[in-house]
Amino acid sequence: MWTVIYIAKNKAQADQLKNLLCTEGILANTRQAGVASVVGDGLYEILVLESEADEAHAILCQHAIK
């Protein structure tokens, strides 16, 4: 089952985070959350398998500090 672990502010950020997780061996996916805004392309959810959610979240936190 897919689980949302993060909500990105736009598609570019979502793609960057998805690629980071995939590089670390985590199967990840993205999907648009809600409706695209007039200003940008809207929010995107980062999804991973439920069994990998804790590890994926830790990876995102690790890279946010750098």
Side-chain angles (χ1 to χ4, degrees):
M1 178 172 278
W2 292 96
T3 302
V4 175
I5 59 158
Y6 189 80
I7 298 178
K9 62 184 175 183
N10 55 42
K11 181 156 178 44
Q13 183 186 36
D15 289 341
Q16 179 184 19
L17 295 173
K18 176 185 174 183
N19 290 337
L20 169 65
L21 292 169
C22 290
T23 300
E24 294 288 334
I26 303 290
L27 184 60
N29 207 346
T30 62
R31 71 175 174 208
Q32 191 165 17
V35 180
S37 72
V38 176
V39 178
D41 59 348
L43 302 175
Y44 281 77
E45 297 174 334
I46 310 298
L47 301 101
V48 299
L49 296 175
E50 188 175 355
S51 60
E52 298 181 323
D54 290 338
E55 183 180 357
H57 190 258
I59 290 168
L60 294 184
C61 290
Q62 242 180 352
H63 284 80
I65 294 171
K66 292 182 181 181

